[in-house]
Amino acid sequence: MHCHWNFGISNLLTPEIKFPERDVLISHVISSLDEYWEKNSDHIRSLPVSNYQNNFKINLPLRMVSVNLPNWANSCGIENKLLVPQECVDQNEHSVEWWKVDWWLAIFLMLEGWHERVWESIHGSIHSYSYRLKNWDSRVWDHAWVNRICLFLRKWYGENYNSKADFFGTPPRSQLLLSHDVDAVCKTHPIRIKQSIFHFFNSLVLLFRFRIIESVRRLSKGFKFLFSNEDWWVFDKLLKIEKAAGISAVYHFYSDQRQKTFKRWLMDPGYNIKSERLKSLLNELKDAGHEVGLHPTYDSWNDSELIEDQKKTLEKSLGSEVINCRQHWLRFSWKDTWLHQARSGLRQDSTLMFNDRSGFRNSCATNWKPWNQLENKTHSIACTTSVIMDSHLFDYNEFNKIERNDHLRFWIMECKEVGGKTSILWHPHSLSKGYGWLEGFKDLINIIK
């Protein structure tokens, strides 16, 4: 299926989606990625970038086009190439020349997930499952293309105007933010059910691939997880590992006080943030230099009143303000979630990631204030993109230790090479013996160090 949307500069895509004027678009891009031009940022506008914004079409599903780079910019690309959405090149040309690319439009479309937004306006939110984007060009998530384009624009300016390498300031240094979504502090029946089903499903997948021994192991692990008992209070162990590594993390806590329905019982965490043990843990985290954030419930992704109520409950137990969050199960809508988080008083989010694969969902590793498509301006809340979490390594892939560490290094090195900022998610309860992911977490810490 291919959908085409006409995008005049001020045309309405739907009653809810407006595309910004050219000057506004460029200003948003430059301010969102200001770490790449901390000095003389006004000069980056002078580059002779092509403009295909007038009356262009958004084509679904997303398709990416490969652009060969000049020799002086080879280091900015992957195998001397950058990828951009097909809307950013002249559709009448047989070959794509780098000086004929609308680089500002390319950055905006990827940074703001515009193709996803259009898809969402037609089909509804995919929340955070990439497989729902049918026939999508998944190469868009494989690298931080937006950051690489920024590095390219810096070099292009230097080549074009014979400026010094540090004309825009030194390139930014990468920042890796370790985060934890506290989904459980004890082994609950819902988690027994959900994780065991995951094991049984993976066992069937392995069986169909004729990997019999691995299939039996998965099946056995599923039954063992379902029926075994274990203490899941792993925070002493976790804090000790992070203290030894000199790492501060963000811990997101659930704090809903509503009566449990069956759906909330199954989908949301089961602990009470008002308990004395949890209050003591919150104080311990705060004293150790970690940040405490909110983990809003499964049903809160488009409800500011729910988020605000849960935020206030957590703040009472913590004894201080909470500004950070990540939505439970990564439930997310480009149109709604940031808007409702901001209305609740939150100022920082790290939900933007896929449940079913690692990668840069918006082709970027940064912290920026995203575009508000309902009000046609920048959101007041900031977002840090997240690139990888523990389940990508253990549930969605059958990695051995070497493959797992190679996978971790790939994403971390991509962030490092482009001077990006990204968040990594690891669930505390996965350090338990039932999950057996402790070794993977220690490997992650060593790779980060």
Side-chain angles (χ1 to χ4, degrees):
M1 178 188 71
H2 291 268
C3 300
H4 303 278
W5 291 87
N6 288 315
F7 259 44
I9 287 182
S10 59
N11 287 351
L12 287 176
L13 197 77
T14 73
E16 297 178 332
I17 299 185
K18 292 181 179 179
F19 203 74
E21 302 281 344
R22 181 69 173 184
D23 286 346
V24 174
L25 179 148
I26 295 174
S27 294
H28 176 69
V29 166
I30 291 174
S31 62
S32 296
L33 297 153
D34 57 359
E35 65 267 27
Y36 287 91
W37 22 77
E38 59 181 17
K39 298 191 304 185
N40 301 315
S41 61
D42 53 320
H43 287 260
I44 199 71
R45 285 177 176 267
S46 64
L47 284 170
V49 176
S50 298
N51 181 0
Y52 300 125
Q53 191 169 330
N54 293 329
N55 300 314
F56 80 104
K57 296 178 180 179
I58 282 286
N59 298 294
L60 295 182
L62 169 68
R63 288 287 174 265
M64 301 294 285
V65 175
S66 179
V67 181
N68 290 316
L69 295 178
N71 291 334
W72 47 261
N74 282 346
S75 63
C76 302
I78 300 297
E79 296 180 351
N80 307 332
K81 294 177 174 62
L82 289 173
L83 296 188
V84 298
Q86 63 181 347
E87 295 85 354
C88 305
V89 301
D90 189 339
Q91 300 295 307
N92 298 315
E93 295 282 344
H94 294 293
S95 61
V96 180
E97 306 290 353
W98 65 267
W99 63 87
K100 293 182 180 180
V101 174
D102 190 340
W103 296 106
W104 296 125
L105 182 60
I107 290 176
F108 184 85
L109 293 180
M110 290 189 285
L111 176 68
E112 299 299 338
W114 207 264
H115 290 79
E116 262 202 63
R117 293 182 191 233
V118 175
W119 180 278
E120 181 179 286
S121 72
I122 304 167
H123 304 286
S125 174
I126 68 161
H127 289 292
S128 296
Y129 287 96
S130 65
Y131 75 87
R132 294 177 179 171
L133 294 169
K134 302 300 183 183
N135 302 313
W136 218 256
D137 193 335
S138 62
R139 295 178 300 169
V140 69
W141 307 314
D142 289 343
H143 293 277
W145 298 114
V146 167
N147 303 70
R148 290 182 175 277
I149 292 173
C150 291
L151 293 172
F152 165 74
L153 294 179
R154 285 173 56 107
K155 282 187 174 289
W156 184 10
Y157 187 93
E159 188 74 14
N160 223 37
Y161 300 104
N162 196 29
S163 68
K164 295 180 180 179
D166 63 348
F167 179 75
F168 293 111
T170 56
R173 295 185 63 183
S174 64
Q175 296 182 52
L176 298 172
L177 308 175
L178 182 60
S179 61
H180 306 290
D181 290 354
V182 184
D183 288 348
V185 299
C186 63
K187 193 170 184 178
T188 62
H189 291 300
I191 291 180
R192 289 176 190 267
I193 294 168
K194 289 181 289 188
Q195 189 63 19
S196 296
I197 289 173
F198 220 117
H199 284 309
F200 298 151
F201 174 78
N202 284 336
S203 176
L204 280 175
V205 171
L206 290 167
L207 183 63
F208 287 131
R209 294 175 181 172
F210 299 101
R211 295 164 64 177
I212 309 300
I213 295 177
E214 293 171 68
S215 174
V216 171
R217 285 176 181 164
R218 269 284 186 175
L219 186 64
S220 174
K221 193 171 183 179
F223 280 112
K224 186 176 180 180
F225 189 92
L226 184 61
F227 295 110
S228 65
N229 293 309
E230 183 187 356
D231 183 6
W232 275 15
W233 190 268
V234 298
F235 297 101
D236 294 340
K237 182 190 304 180
L238 179 52
L239 287 169
K240 185 178 180 180
I241 293 171
E242 291 176 341
K243 183 178 180 180
I247 290 175
S248 296
V250 181
Y251 285 74
H252 298 108
F253 283 88
Y254 156 88
S255 60
D256 191 24
Q257 296 295 298
R258 293 174 295 168
Q259 186 175 356
K260 290 285 189 184
T261 62
F262 175 75
K263 188 172 185 180
R264 289 181 203 142
W265 174 83
L266 184 65
M267 306 306 292
D268 285 332
Y271 57 85
N272 186 352
I273 198 65
K274 291 184 176 181
S275 73
E276 291 304 316
R277 194 178 193 189
L278 266 297
K279 286 183 179 179
S280 177
L281 174 61
L282 293 177
N283 286 325
E284 186 179 357
L285 291 171
K286 191 163 56 172
D287 291 343
H290 300 288
E291 183 177 353
V292 173
L294 180 66
H295 199 37
T297 50
Y298 184 85
D299 60 351
S300 69
W301 57 277
N302 61 350
D303 190 327
S304 56
E305 290 184 6
L306 265 183
I307 297 173
E308 184 176 9
D309 185 60
Q310 293 165 25
K311 176 178 179 288
K312 288 178 178 178
T313 300
L314 178 57
E315 287 173 338
K316 286 180 182 178
S317 290
L318 179 64
S320 58
E321 185 183 16
V322 171
I323 63 171
N324 210 317
C325 74
R326 182 187 284 118
Q327 295 293 137
H328 187 44
W329 282 66
L330 305 182
R331 298 270 285 174
F332 172 78
S333 158
W334 291 90
K335 176 172 70 73
D336 294 315
T337 303
W338 287 320
L339 186 68
H340 288 280
Q341 288 174 347
R343 286 175 179 172
S344 75
L346 291 165
R347 300 200 292 274
Q348 182 70 49
D349 175 59
S350 55
T351 303
L352 195 62
M353 177 170 57
F354 288 121
N355 268 308
D356 54 345
R357 61 156 289 157
S358 307
F360 300 95
R361 185 168 176 177
N362 66 336
S363 310
C364 191
T366 194
N367 182 69
W368 92 112
K369 291 185 175 180
W371 189 254
N372 182 341
Q373 67 191 61
L374 292 178
E375 300 175 4
N376 201 32
K377 64 179 185 180
T378 302
H379 274 293
S380 62
I381 193 169
C383 172
T384 299
T385 53
S386 298
V387 67
I388 192 169
M389 64 176 169
D390 44 12
S391 59
H392 296 157
L393 303 166
F394 293 93
D395 281 339
Y396 288 96
N397 290 285
E398 290 291 328
F399 288 147
N400 60 37
K401 179 181 173 67
I402 294 173
E403 291 168 336
R404 184 174 67 233
N405 287 344
D406 285 346
H407 190 77
L408 281 169
R409 286 192 189 93
F410 174 85
W411 299 108
I412 290 172
M413 287 306 299
E414 175 69 7
C415 181
K416 184 177 180 181
E417 286 180 17
V418 301
K421 183 176 185 179
T422 191
S423 179
I424 298 171
L425 166 59
W426 205 281
H427 295 87
H429 65 272
S430 71
L431 305 186
S432 63
K433 289 182 180 178
Y435 273 84
W437 298 358
L438 174 59
E439 182 185 18
F441 179 68
K442 289 180 177 178
D443 289 340
L444 168 65
I445 295 295
N446 288 330
I447 292 170
I448 290 176
K449 287 170 63 181

